[in-house]
């Protein structure tokens, strides 16, 4: 009878430890998500290296521009109406207007 109580007790402790490990994520290989409470990089590049038009970015071979890429600017990102952090995703038409 005593041996069975010890066995149940040890099994209970192992079960509690397993639940604690799974809740805390110990041993998981998934990447942690970054919280937005930390320092945030600026969304626009205000340096002189920012492209004035998407045609300039495509001509330089730098398009599409991501938010943290040199040459990115918020006005370029607003051109497609999405403001999703990717500017000049679609090559501008080279046909004369």
């Amino acid at each position: 009878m005593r041996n069975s109580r010890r066995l149940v007790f040890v099994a209970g402790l192992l079960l509690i430890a397993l639940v604690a490990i799974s809740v805390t994520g110990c041993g998981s290989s998934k990447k942690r998500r970054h919280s937005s409470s930390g320092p945030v990089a600026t969304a626009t590049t205000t340096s002189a290296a920012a492209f004035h038009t998407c045609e300039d970015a495509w001509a330089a071979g730098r398009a599409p521009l991501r938010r943290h890429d040199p040459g990115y600017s918020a006005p370029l990102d607003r051109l497609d109406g999405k403001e999703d952090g990717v500017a000049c995703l679609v090559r501008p038409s080279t046909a004369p207007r």
Side-chain angles (χ1 to χ4, degrees):
M1 187 82 167
R2 286 185 174 209
N3 286 339
S4 64
R5 285 187 181 180
R6 281 188 193 160
L7 183 62
V8 169
F9 180 73
V10 170
L13 284 178
L14 288 174
L15 183 61
I16 291 171
L18 181 64
V19 168
I21 288 173
S22 66
V23 168
T24 60
C26 182
S28 74
S29 62
K30 295 180 181 178
K31 293 182 180 180
R32 292 184 180 183
R33 294 183 180 180
H34 298 287
S35 67
S36 60
S37 62
V40 178
T42 58
T44 62
T45 302
T46 57
S47 68
F51 292 105
H52 295 289
T53 64
C54 286
E55 288 89 1
D56 296 340
W58 278 97
R62 301 288 306 274
L65 298 168
R66 306 295 192 271
R67 179 172 284 132
H68 301 289
D69 289 347
Y72 170 87
S73 67
L76 288 177
D77 193 12
R78 287 187 203 113
L79 291 176
D80 63 359
K82 294 181 185 176
E83 295 186 50
D84 56 355
V86 181
C88 305
L89 184 61
V90 179
R91 181 180 279 253
S93 173
T94 56
R97 292 182 182 179

